[in-house]
Amino acid sequence: MKQLKEIAVKINRLAELDIFNNTRKREYIEARSLFCLIAYRYCNANYSRIAEFLISNGKSSDHSTILHSIKNYEIYKIYNKNLDIWLEDVIENLQNLESNQKVQLVTHKLKQLTDPGLDLINEFVSKIHGAEEYHK
């Protein structure tokens, strides 16, 4: 729960609002969606645990609200370009990411690259893959 609190504090500071405020204003919904996405994908928190955390901080919630919030993140980020910037900022500061979480982070970053960047990454990954095959 400590990690979730740290994430919430960081998002509150970045978004300049309180995600625990019981409001349906768009900017609050988007920031809460970012929090739920990070908690779920990068902190291994399930929907119920995220809902319990929000409730313990004064925000009404349940597991279905969390699911809806995470599913809609992709839509929210189209209209609020800060969300992906904030996502990277928060995730970069998380400690002890597991392998699957690192893959999620790299995948997220890859989706934002243009062709020249993708070509460089492809070349680099090919070299790494070749080196690993050689050492087997």
Side-chain angles (χ1 to χ4, degrees), residues 23-128:
T23 180
R24 293 183 182 176
K25 290 184 179 175
R26 189 187 85 238
E27 58 270 19
Y28 288 83
I29 292 169
E30 292 169 347
R32 274 194 298 271
S33 178
L34 174 62
F35 170 79
C36 293
L37 180 86
I38 293 170
Y40 183 72
R41 284 191 186 163
Y42 300 99
C43 298
N44 294 327
N46 62 32
Y47 302 143
S48 296
R49 181 171 174 225
I50 298 167
E52 288 169 8
F53 176 77
L54 291 174
I55 291 167
S56 72
N57 284 279
K59 173 66 184 111
S60 59
S61 187
D62 62 37
H63 74 281
S64 62
T65 303
I66 305 306
L67 174 62
H68 178 77
S69 182
I70 292 170
K71 281 187 171 187
N72 283 318
Y73 177 81
E74 295 298 319
I75 295 168
Y76 300 148
K77 75 176 190 174
I78 293 169
Y79 300 102
N80 185 344
K81 302 299 182 191
N82 288 325
L83 290 176
D84 270 345
I85 295 167
W86 296 341
L87 173 65
E88 286 187 30
D89 189 12
V90 173
I91 294 170
E92 290 293 331
N93 293 309
L94 291 178
Q95 302 296 317
N96 304 321
L97 289 178
E98 296 176 9
S99 292
N100 63 329
Q101 295 164 323
K102 289 177 185 176
V103 169
Q104 287 274 351
L105 177 58
V106 170
T107 302
H108 170 76
K109 289 181 177 185
L110 284 174
K111 288 179 181 179
Q112 298 175 355
L113 290 177
T114 58
D115 283 341
L118 289 170
D119 291 340
L120 286 171
I121 294 294
N122 185 40
E123 184 179 320
F124 183 73
V125 169
S126 293
K127 287 179 183 178
I128 292 171

